[in-house]
Amino acid sequence: MSRPHPAPAARILVTGGAGFIGSHHVRTLLGPGGPAGVTVTVLDKLTYAGNPGNLDPVRGRPGFSFVKGDICDRELVDDLMAAHDEVVHFAAESHVDRSILSSAEFVRTNVLGTQTLLDAALRHGIRTFVHVSTDEVYGSVDTGAWTEESPLLPNSPYSASKASSDLLALAHHRTHGLDVRVTRCSNNYGHHQHPEKVVPLFATHLLDGRKVPLYGDGGNVRDWLHIDDHVQGIELVRTGGRPGEVYNIGGGTELTNRRLTDLLLDACGAGPDRVEYVTDRKGHDRRYCVDWSKIRDELGYRPRKDFATGLAETVAWYRENRPWWEPLKKTMETNP
Ligand SMILES: NC(=O)c1ccc[n+]([C@@H]2O[C@H](COP(=O)([O-])OP(=O)(O)OC[C@H]3O[C@@H](n4cnc5c(N)ncnc54)[C@H](O)[C@@H]3O)[C@@H](O)[C@H]2O)c1
Protein backbone atom coordinates (compact mmCIF):
# COMPACT_ATOMS: atom_id res chain seq x y z
CA MET A 1 0.00 0.00 0.00
CA SER A 2 1.38 3.42 -0.92
CA ARG A 3 0.11 6.18 1.32
CA PRO A 4 -0.48 9.57 -0.22
CA HIS A 5 2.20 12.21 0.08
CA PRO A 6 1.25 15.53 1.64
CA ALA A 7 -0.70 17.38 -1.04
CA PRO A 8 0.85 20.45 -2.62
CA ALA A 9 -0.81 23.80 -2.01
CA ALA A 10 -3.90 24.07 -4.14
CA ARG A 11 -6.59 26.49 -5.19
CA ILE A 12 -9.58 24.16 -5.20
CA LEU A 13 -12.85 24.80 -7.01
CA VAL A 14 -15.64 22.88 -5.26
CA THR A 15 -18.84 22.62 -7.27
CA GLY A 16 -22.07 22.02 -5.33
CA GLY A 17 -20.29 23.07 -2.14
CA ALA A 18 -23.47 24.37 -0.53
CA GLY A 19 -25.09 20.91 -0.62
CA PHE A 20 -24.85 18.11 1.91
CA ILE A 21 -21.57 16.40 1.00
CA GLY A 22 -19.88 19.36 -0.70
CA SER A 23 -20.35 21.64 2.31
CA HIS A 24 -18.98 18.96 4.60
CA HIS A 25 -15.95 18.65 2.37
CA VAL A 26 -15.40 22.43 2.40
CA ARG A 27 -15.80 22.67 6.18
CA THR A 28 -13.25 19.85 6.49
CA LEU A 29 -10.76 21.43 4.08
CA LEU A 30 -10.87 24.79 5.83
CA GLY A 31 -11.45 23.53 9.37
CA PRO A 32 -8.94 22.66 12.08
CA GLY A 33 -6.73 19.80 10.84
CA GLY A 34 -7.47 20.58 7.18
CA PRO A 35 -4.60 20.49 4.67
CA ALA A 36 -2.17 23.41 4.66
CA GLY A 37 -2.01 25.91 1.81
CA VAL A 38 -5.47 25.24 0.45
CA THR A 39 -7.91 27.86 -0.75
CA VAL A 40 -11.48 26.99 -1.71
CA THR A 41 -13.97 28.56 -4.07
CA VAL A 42 -17.47 27.13 -3.96
CA LEU A 43 -19.46 27.32 -7.18
CA ASP A 44 -23.11 26.57 -6.44
CA LYS A 45 -26.37 27.47 -8.14
CA LEU A 46 -28.25 27.29 -4.82
CA THR A 47 -31.06 25.08 -6.08
CA TYR A 48 -33.62 23.86 -3.53
CA ALA A 49 -30.84 21.51 -2.31
CA GLY A 50 -28.19 24.17 -1.78
CA ASN A 51 -28.14 25.93 1.55
CA PRO A 52 -25.72 28.82 2.03
CA GLY A 53 -26.05 28.39 5.81
CA ASN A 54 -24.15 25.10 5.44
CA LEU A 55 -21.06 27.21 4.76
CA ASP A 56 -21.47 29.62 7.70
CA PRO A 57 -18.69 27.95 9.72
CA VAL A 58 -16.12 28.82 7.02
CA ARG A 59 -17.52 32.13 5.81
CA GLY A 60 -14.97 34.82 6.49
CA ARG A 61 -12.09 32.33 6.77
CA PRO A 62 -9.03 33.35 4.74
CA GLY A 63 -8.96 31.34 1.55
CA PHE A 64 -12.74 30.87 1.24
CA SER A 65 -14.94 32.39 -1.43
CA PHE A 66 -18.40 31.67 -2.74
CA VAL A 67 -19.74 32.16 -6.26
CA LYS A 68 -23.42 31.70 -6.97
CA GLY A 69 -23.67 30.26 -10.46
CA ASP A 70 -24.45 27.36 -12.72
CA ILE A 71 -21.92 24.71 -13.78
CA CYS A 72 -23.53 24.89 -17.24
CA ASP A 73 -22.49 28.55 -17.60
CA ARG A 74 -19.45 28.19 -19.86
CA GLU A 75 -18.17 31.75 -19.47
CA LEU A 76 -18.36 31.69 -15.69
CA VAL A 77 -16.81 28.23 -15.51
CA ASP A 78 -13.98 29.33 -17.81
CA ASP A 79 -13.19 32.34 -15.60
CA LEU A 80 -13.15 30.18 -12.48
CA MET A 81 -11.04 27.38 -13.97
CA ALA A 82 -8.40 29.92 -15.00
CA ALA A 83 -7.87 30.78 -11.33
CA HIS A 84 -7.79 27.25 -9.86
CA ASP A 85 -5.51 24.19 -9.76
CA GLU A 86 -7.95 21.45 -8.78
CA VAL A 87 -11.66 20.67 -8.98
CA VAL A 88 -13.82 18.56 -6.70
CA HIS A 89 -17.12 18.16 -8.49
CA PHE A 90 -20.18 17.49 -6.33
CA ALA A 91 -22.80 19.63 -8.08
CA ALA A 92 -25.68 17.48 -9.24
CA GLU A 93 -29.35 16.86 -9.10
CA SER A 94 -29.16 14.08 -6.55
CA HIS A 95 -32.61 12.77 -5.64
CA VAL A 96 -33.80 9.60 -7.42
CA ASP A 97 -37.50 10.25 -6.77
CA ARG A 98 -37.29 13.64 -8.45
CA SER A 99 -35.57 12.09 -11.48
CA ILE A 100 -38.51 9.71 -11.85
CA LEU A 101 -40.94 12.64 -11.94
CA SER A 102 -38.83 14.56 -14.46
CA SER A 103 -35.35 13.88 -15.76
CA ALA A 104 -34.57 16.99 -17.85
CA GLU A 105 -32.76 18.87 -15.08
CA PHE A 106 -30.76 15.72 -14.28
CA VAL A 107 -29.42 15.52 -17.82
CA ARG A 108 -28.75 19.26 -17.92
CA THR A 109 -26.81 19.54 -14.68
CA ASN A 110 -25.33 16.06 -14.30
CA VAL A 111 -24.35 15.49 -17.93
CA LEU A 112 -24.05 18.87 -19.66
CA GLY A 113 -22.79 20.59 -16.51
CA THR A 114 -20.07 17.97 -16.06
CA GLN A 115 -19.09 18.25 -19.72
CA THR A 116 -18.86 22.05 -19.37
CA LEU A 117 -16.56 21.65 -16.37
CA LEU A 118 -14.38 18.98 -18.01
CA ASP A 119 -13.87 20.97 -21.20
CA ALA A 120 -12.95 24.09 -19.22
CA ALA A 121 -10.62 22.05 -17.01
CA LEU A 122 -8.76 20.95 -20.15
CA ARG A 123 -8.54 24.47 -21.52
CA HIS A 124 -7.07 25.78 -18.29
CA GLY A 125 -4.67 22.98 -17.37
CA ILE A 126 -6.45 21.83 -14.21
CA ARG A 127 -4.05 19.58 -12.29
CA THR A 128 -6.61 17.19 -10.76
CA PHE A 129 -10.35 16.76 -11.30
CA VAL A 130 -12.18 14.63 -8.74
CA HIS A 131 -15.57 13.57 -10.06
CA VAL A 132 -17.88 12.48 -7.24
CA SER A 133 -20.19 9.73 -8.42
CA THR A 134 -22.34 7.02 -6.87
CA ASP A 135 -22.62 3.25 -6.45
CA GLU A 136 -26.01 3.54 -8.16
CA VAL A 137 -24.28 3.60 -11.56
CA TYR A 138 -23.63 -0.15 -11.18
CA GLY A 139 -27.33 -0.93 -10.70
CA SER A 140 -28.74 -3.60 -8.45
CA VAL A 141 -26.71 -6.63 -7.32
CA ASP A 142 -28.42 -9.60 -5.62
CA THR A 143 -25.31 -11.06 -4.02
CA GLY A 144 -21.65 -10.09 -3.78
CA ALA A 145 -20.33 -6.62 -4.53
CA TRP A 146 -19.51 -4.52 -7.59
CA THR A 147 -15.84 -3.75 -8.18
CA GLU A 148 -14.57 -0.77 -10.16
CA GLU A 149 -14.32 -3.09 -13.18
CA SER A 150 -18.00 -4.05 -13.09
CA PRO A 151 -20.21 -2.88 -15.95
CA LEU A 152 -22.37 0.20 -15.50
CA LEU A 153 -26.05 -0.83 -15.46
CA PRO A 154 -27.93 2.17 -14.12
CA ASN A 155 -31.69 1.89 -13.77
CA SER A 156 -33.05 5.29 -12.69
CA PRO A 157 -32.80 8.51 -14.71
CA TYR A 158 -30.64 9.84 -11.84
CA SER A 159 -28.14 6.96 -11.99
CA ALA A 160 -28.18 6.99 -15.81
CA SER A 161 -27.23 10.68 -15.77
CA LYS A 162 -24.47 10.02 -13.24
CA ALA A 163 -23.16 7.07 -15.30
CA SER A 164 -23.08 9.31 -18.37
CA SER A 165 -21.05 11.91 -16.50
CA ASP A 166 -18.65 9.24 -15.19
CA LEU A 167 -18.02 8.03 -18.72
CA LEU A 168 -17.47 11.57 -19.98
CA ALA A 169 -15.01 12.20 -17.14
CA LEU A 170 -13.07 9.01 -17.86
CA ALA A 171 -13.13 9.79 -21.60
CA HIS A 172 -11.44 13.13 -20.86
CA HIS A 173 -8.66 11.19 -19.20
CA ARG A 174 -8.31 8.59 -21.95
CA THR A 175 -8.62 11.01 -24.85
CA HIS A 176 -6.91 14.11 -23.53
CA GLY A 177 -4.86 12.91 -20.56
CA LEU A 178 -6.79 15.08 -18.07
CA ASP A 179 -6.08 13.86 -14.53
CA VAL A 180 -9.60 12.74 -13.67
CA ARG A 181 -10.33 10.58 -10.61
CA VAL A 182 -13.82 9.15 -10.11
CA THR A 183 -15.25 8.14 -6.74
CA ARG A 184 -18.35 5.94 -6.39
CA CYS A 185 -19.72 5.88 -2.88
CA SER A 186 -22.62 4.21 -1.16
CA ASN A 187 -25.55 5.94 0.62
CA ASN A 188 -24.35 8.82 2.77
CA TYR A 189 -25.88 9.85 6.07
CA GLY A 190 -25.07 12.56 8.60
CA HIS A 191 -26.01 16.08 9.66
CA HIS A 192 -27.00 18.79 7.15
CA GLN A 193 -28.59 16.31 4.72
CA HIS A 194 -31.70 17.63 2.95
CA PRO A 195 -34.85 16.17 4.55
CA GLU A 196 -35.99 14.69 1.23
CA LYS A 197 -33.47 11.85 1.77
CA VAL A 198 -34.55 8.82 3.78
CA VAL A 199 -32.59 9.18 7.04
CA PRO A 200 -33.46 12.85 7.70
CA LEU A 201 -36.96 12.42 6.22
CA PHE A 202 -37.76 9.61 8.65
CA ALA A 203 -35.95 11.21 11.61
CA THR A 204 -37.74 14.54 11.20
CA HIS A 205 -41.15 12.89 10.62
CA LEU A 206 -40.66 10.83 13.79
CA LEU A 207 -39.49 13.86 15.79
CA ASP A 208 -42.72 15.56 14.68
CA GLY A 209 -44.84 12.60 15.81
CA ARG A 210 -45.70 11.57 12.23
CA LYS A 211 -45.68 8.22 10.45
CA VAL A 212 -42.85 7.31 8.07
CA PRO A 213 -43.53 6.08 4.49
CA LEU A 214 -41.61 2.85 3.88
CA TYR A 215 -41.36 1.76 0.24
CA GLY A 216 -42.60 -1.70 -0.85
CA ASP A 217 -41.78 -4.55 1.54
CA GLY A 218 -38.91 -2.62 3.16
CA GLY A 219 -36.48 -5.29 1.95
CA ASN A 220 -34.30 -3.10 -0.29
CA VAL A 221 -30.71 -3.13 0.91
CA ARG A 222 -28.28 -0.22 1.07
CA ASP A 223 -24.76 0.18 2.42
CA TRP A 224 -24.49 3.21 4.74
CA LEU A 225 -21.52 5.54 4.72
CA HIS A 226 -21.06 8.32 7.26
CA ILE A 227 -20.38 11.72 5.73
CA ASP A 228 -17.03 12.03 7.60
CA ASP A 229 -15.87 8.76 6.06
CA HIS A 230 -16.96 9.80 2.60
CA VAL A 231 -15.01 13.03 2.90
CA GLN A 232 -12.02 11.07 4.20
CA GLY A 233 -12.22 8.89 1.07
CA ILE A 234 -12.52 11.86 -1.28
CA GLU A 235 -9.49 13.51 0.30
CA LEU A 236 -7.44 10.32 -0.04
CA VAL A 237 -8.36 10.15 -3.72
CA ARG A 238 -7.73 13.86 -4.30
CA THR A 239 -4.30 13.76 -2.69
CA GLY A 240 -3.09 10.23 -3.47
CA GLY A 241 -5.31 8.63 -6.10
CA ARG A 242 -4.12 7.77 -9.60
CA PRO A 243 -5.21 9.64 -12.72
CA GLY A 244 -7.93 7.90 -14.74
CA GLU A 245 -8.86 5.57 -11.89
CA VAL A 246 -12.21 4.83 -10.27
CA TYR A 247 -12.40 4.30 -6.48
CA ASN A 248 -15.42 2.77 -4.75
CA ILE A 249 -16.03 4.16 -1.25
CA GLY A 250 -18.15 1.97 1.04
CA GLY A 251 -19.33 2.35 4.61
CA GLY A 252 -19.43 -1.30 5.68
CA THR A 253 -22.98 -1.25 7.14
CA GLU A 254 -25.51 -3.09 4.96
CA LEU A 255 -29.10 -2.74 6.10
CA THR A 256 -32.54 -3.39 4.72
CA ASN A 257 -34.70 -0.27 4.74
CA ARG A 258 -36.88 -2.05 7.29
CA ARG A 259 -33.91 -2.49 9.65
CA LEU A 260 -32.83 1.12 9.12
CA THR A 261 -36.39 2.20 9.95
CA ASP A 262 -36.37 0.13 13.15
CA LEU A 263 -33.10 1.77 14.23
CA LEU A 264 -34.57 5.21 13.54
CA LEU A 265 -37.75 4.35 15.46
CA ASP A 266 -35.58 3.33 18.45
CA ALA A 267 -33.44 6.47 18.18
CA CYS A 268 -36.56 8.64 18.20
CA GLY A 269 -38.38 6.69 20.90
CA ALA A 270 -41.19 5.63 18.51
CA GLY A 271 -42.96 2.29 18.03
CA PRO A 272 -43.65 0.13 14.94
CA ASP A 273 -47.15 1.66 14.59
CA ARG A 274 -45.42 4.74 13.13
CA VAL A 275 -44.50 2.86 9.92
CA GLU A 276 -46.75 3.12 6.90
CA TYR A 277 -45.94 0.83 3.97
CA VAL A 278 -46.40 2.71 0.69
CA THR A 279 -46.30 1.72 -3.00
CA ASP A 280 -42.77 0.93 -4.02
CA ARG A 281 -40.63 3.40 -5.97
CA LYS A 282 -40.76 2.66 -9.72
CA GLY A 283 -37.76 0.59 -10.82
CA HIS A 284 -36.51 0.45 -7.23
CA ASP A 285 -33.07 -1.19 -7.19
CA ARG A 286 -33.12 -4.07 -4.70
CA ARG A 287 -29.58 -3.95 -3.42
CA TYR A 288 -26.43 -1.88 -3.88
CA CYS A 289 -23.08 -3.09 -2.66
CA VAL A 290 -19.60 -1.95 -3.61
CA ASP A 291 -16.29 -3.69 -3.05
CA TRP A 292 -14.05 -0.94 -1.62
CA SER A 293 -10.86 -3.00 -1.23
CA LYS A 294 -9.07 -0.90 -3.89
CA ILE A 295 -9.19 2.37 -1.93
CA ARG A 296 -8.40 0.44 1.26
CA ASP A 297 -5.35 -1.31 -0.19
CA GLU A 298 -4.03 1.60 -2.28
CA LEU A 299 -4.80 4.58 -0.08
CA GLY A 300 -5.39 3.20 3.41
CA TYR A 301 -9.10 4.10 3.54
CA ARG A 302 -11.17 2.63 6.38
CA PRO A 303 -14.62 3.74 7.51
CA ARG A 304 -14.09 4.98 11.07
CA LYS A 305 -17.61 5.88 12.18
CA ASP A 306 -19.48 3.08 13.85
CA PHE A 307 -23.05 3.11 12.44
CA ALA A 308 -24.88 3.09 15.80
CA THR A 309 -22.87 6.11 16.98
CA GLY A 310 -23.20 7.92 13.64
CA LEU A 311 -26.96 7.40 13.52
CA ALA A 312 -27.44 8.52 17.14
CA GLU A 313 -25.38 11.67 16.47
CA THR A 314 -27.33 12.35 13.29
CA VAL A 315 -30.72 12.05 14.99
CA ALA A 316 -29.46 14.26 17.85
CA TRP A 317 -28.40 16.89 15.32
CA TYR A 318 -31.85 16.95 13.70
CA ARG A 319 -33.45 17.08 17.15
CA GLU A 320 -31.33 20.13 18.05
CA ASN A 321 -31.43 21.95 14.70
CA ARG A 322 -35.09 22.42 13.83
CA PRO A 323 -34.50 25.91 12.40
CA TRP A 324 -32.25 24.32 9.77
CA TRP A 325 -34.75 21.74 8.47
CA GLU A 326 -38.23 22.99 9.29
CA PRO A 327 -38.30 25.59 6.46
CA LEU A 328 -37.00 22.96 4.01
CA LYS A 329 -39.76 20.54 4.95
CA LYS A 330 -42.36 23.27 4.67
CA THR A 331 -41.16 24.02 1.13
CA MET A 332 -41.12 20.30 0.26
CA GLU A 333 -44.70 19.95 1.40
CA THR A 334 -46.13 23.11 -0.12
CA ASN A 335 -44.13 22.97 -3.35
CA PRO A 336 -43.05 19.34 -3.89
N1 LIG B 1 -26.09 11.79 -0.83
C1 LIG B 1 -25.68 10.58 -1.16
O1 LIG B 1 -25.97 9.62 -0.45
C2 LIG B 1 -24.83 10.38 -2.37
C3 LIG B 1 -24.41 9.09 -2.63
C4 LIG B 1 -23.59 8.88 -3.72
C5 LIG B 1 -23.19 9.93 -4.51
N2 LIG B 1 -23.63 11.18 -4.26
C6 LIG B 1 -23.17 12.26 -5.16
O2 LIG B 1 -22.49 13.22 -4.37
C7 LIG B 1 -22.70 14.53 -4.90
C8 LIG B 1 -23.23 15.44 -3.83
O3 LIG B 1 -24.42 14.88 -3.29
P1 LIG B 1 -25.25 15.62 -2.15
O4 LIG B 1 -26.03 14.57 -1.44
O5 LIG B 1 -24.36 16.52 -1.38
O6 LIG B 1 -26.24 16.49 -3.07
P2 LIG B 1 -27.14 17.73 -2.68
O7 LIG B 1 -28.36 17.59 -3.51
O8 LIG B 1 -27.26 17.89 -1.20
O9 LIG B 1 -26.30 18.99 -3.20
C9 LIG B 1 -26.12 19.29 -4.56
C10 LIG B 1 -25.59 20.71 -4.66
O10 LIG B 1 -25.36 21.01 -6.03
C11 LIG B 1 -25.89 22.30 -6.32
N3 LIG B 1 -26.27 22.35 -7.73
C12 LIG B 1 -27.26 21.67 -8.36
N4 LIG B 1 -27.31 21.96 -9.66
C13 LIG B 1 -26.30 22.86 -9.90
C14 LIG B 1 -25.83 23.53 -11.04
N5 LIG B 1 -26.41 23.36 -12.25
N6 LIG B 1 -24.78 24.36 -10.92
C15 LIG B 1 -24.19 24.56 -9.71
N7 LIG B 1 -24.60 23.96 -8.59
C16 LIG B 1 -25.65 23.11 -8.67
C17 LIG B 1 -27.08 22.45 -5.39
O11 LIG B 1 -27.44 23.81 -5.19
C18 LIG B 1 -26.56 21.78 -4.13
O12 LIG B 1 -25.87 22.69 -3.31
C19 LIG B 1 -23.66 14.37 -6.08
O13 LIG B 1 -22.90 14.39 -7.26
C20 LIG B 1 -24.30 13.01 -5.86
O14 LIG B 1 -24.64 12.42 -7.08
C21 LIG B 1 -24.45 11.44 -3.20
Side-chain angles (χ1 to χ4, degrees):
M1 179 181 81
S2 72
R3 286 194 184 266
H5 300 296
R11 298 168 300 168
I12 307 176
L13 178 64
V14 178
T15 72
F20 166 48
I21 307 172
S23 65
H24 204 83
H25 184 235
V26 172
R27 294 191 303 269
T28 305
L29 283 174
L30 296 178
V38 157
T39 66
V40 173
T41 304
V42 168
L43 169 60
D44 198 297
K45 187 178 170 184
L46 298 181
T47 66
Y48 78 94
N51 190 333
N54 293 352
L55 295 166
D56 283 350
V58 295
R59 213 173 290 286
R61 291 259 167 93
F64 172 76
S65 49
F66 179 82
V67 175
K68 180 171 187 238
D70 191 329
I71 57 168
C72 299
D73 178 342
R74 181 184 152 143
E75 227 172 280
L76 172 65
V77 165
D78 251 327
D79 287 349
L80 288 169
M81 288 288 176
H84 290 85
D85 309 303
E86 298 185 5
V87 175
V88 184
H89 175 33
F90 295 96
E93 287 294 331
S94 67
H95 191 39
V96 176
D97 287 344
R98 283 177 185 265
S99 79
I100 294 168
L101 292 174
S102 168
S103 58
E105 206 50 34
F106 285 74
V107 173
R108 203 188 79 87
T109 287
N110 300 1
V111 185
L112 295 178
T114 301
Q115 174 251 318
T116 305
L117 292 168
L118 289 164
D119 286 351
L122 261 184
R123 283 194 289 278
H124 295 284
I126 287 294
R127 195 164 69 203
T128 303
F129 189 114
V130 179
H131 174 69
V132 178
S133 186
T134 168
D135 60 356
E136 300 195 25
V137 298
Y138 296 118
S140 196
V141 59
D142 290 340
T143 53
W146 297 125
T147 73
E148 290 83 354
E149 307 303 321
S150 300
L152 302 189
L153 298 166
N155 291 313
S156 72
Y158 162 69
S159 53
S161 69
K162 291 295 289 187
S164 308
S165 61
D166 282 26
L167 294 176
L168 270 175
L170 293 168
H172 275 70
H173 171 71
R174 291 187 194 121
T175 306
H176 301 291
L178 184 67
D179 176 349
V180 169
R181 307 168 189 188
V182 174
T183 61
R184 294 184 184 141
C185 66
S186 43
N187 272 36
N188 284 225
Y189 74 102
H191 53 87
H192 289 93
Q193 187 171 31
H194 193 285
E196 69 185 357
K197 304 282 167 49
V198 65
V199 168
L201 178 77
F202 281 21
T204 56
H205 268 34
L206 293 170
L207 293 173
D208 275 345
R210 296 169 61 178
K211 288 193 170 193
V212 295
L214 185 57
Y215 277 140
D217 64 359
N220 300 67
V221 175
R222 299 292 181 264
D223 170 51
W224 289 95
L225 169 67
H226 190 268
I227 184 73
D228 289 347
D229 287 322
H230 188 194
V231 166
Q232 177 212 153
I234 289 169
E235 273 301 281
L236 287 169
V237 171
R238 182 183 71 83
T239 57
R242 286 179 293 135
E245 292 293 318
V246 177
Y247 295 89
N248 290 340
I249 306 177
T253 303
E254 255 196 74
L255 298 173
T256 61
N257 287 343
R258 176 70 232 194
R259 178 74 189 131
L260 173 71
T261 305
D262 287 343
L263 294 171
L264 284 163
L265 290 170
D266 284 350
C268 297
D273 56 310
R274 301 274 290 282
V275 179
E276 184 179 12
Y277 285 89
V278 296
T279 310
D280 206 357
R281 169 191 276 167
K282 281 188 189 173
H284 202 173
D285 283 332
R286 192 69 179 168
R287 176 173 175 265
Y288 298 133
C289 187
V290 285
D291 175 335
W292 45 274
S293 52
K294 178 174 172 182
I295 189 171
R296 178 194 66 205
D297 297 346
E298 268 188 34
L299 302 174
Y301 167 81
R302 291 239 175 350
R304 297 185 193 123
K305 185 69 85 175
D306 151 72
F307 186 75
T309 311
L311 195 69
E313 288 171 358
T314 302
V315 170
W317 188 87
Y318 283 92
R319 188 177 276 121
E320 287 152 21
N321 288 276
R322 281 182 172 270
W324 186 89
W325 56 265
E326 279 178 340
L328 301 176
K329 282 197 88 167
K330 204 171 271 175
T331 310
M332 273 166 65
E333 279 155 23
T334 52
N335 184 20

